[in-house]
């Protein structure tokens, strides 16, 4: 598990969100991400869906994150990204 302190905390409904715990995604979070992708979400939107499930943070809060904080979260999630299936092109 990785604890990330946000460079720019987010205020939402009287609460300050200033640190986020990022861990290996749960199956439920992956399912939420896949549902978002099938519904036409961008990669960012699908990641927000995943994070909302695993962190308990409202999607509205996650959408208010600054790019640098979102990138730090993405870097913490990167080791858990699935490898491309055999025969698929990697990026």
């Amino acid at each position: 598990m990785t604890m990330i302190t946000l460079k720019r905390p987010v205020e939402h409904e009287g609460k300050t969100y200033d640190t986020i715990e990022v861990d290996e995604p749960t199956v439920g979070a992956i399912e939420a991400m896949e549902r978002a992708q099938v519904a036409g979400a961008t990669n960012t939107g699908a990641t927000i869906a995943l994070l909302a499930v695993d962190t308990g943070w409202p999607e509205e809060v996650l959408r208010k994150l600054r790019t640098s904080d979102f990138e730090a979260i993405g870097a913490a999630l990167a080791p858990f990204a699935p490898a491309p299936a055999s025969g698929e092109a990697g990026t």
Side-chain angles (χ1 to χ4, degrees), residues 8-85:
R8 303 274 298 272
V10 175
E11 300 284 333
H12 181 73
E13 295 183 359
K15 182 175 178 182
T16 300
Y17 295 82
D18 56 3
T19 58
I20 187 167
E21 292 181 358
V22 180
D23 201 354
E24 180 177 3
T26 63
V27 172
I30 293 169
E31 182 181 39
M33 180 182 74
E34 290 171 346
R35 278 194 309 257
Q37 290 170 329
V38 167
T42 62
N43 287 339
T44 299
T47 302
I48 287 170
L50 178 142
L51 289 169
V53 170
D54 271 358
T55 65
W57 284 28
E59 288 190 12
E60 296 84 12
V61 172
L62 294 164
R63 284 190 174 87
K64 292 179 182 179
L65 290 171
R66 299 298 176 161
T67 303
S68 59
D69 289 324
F70 195 73
E71 288 174 350
I73 293 165
L77 288 172
F80 306 112

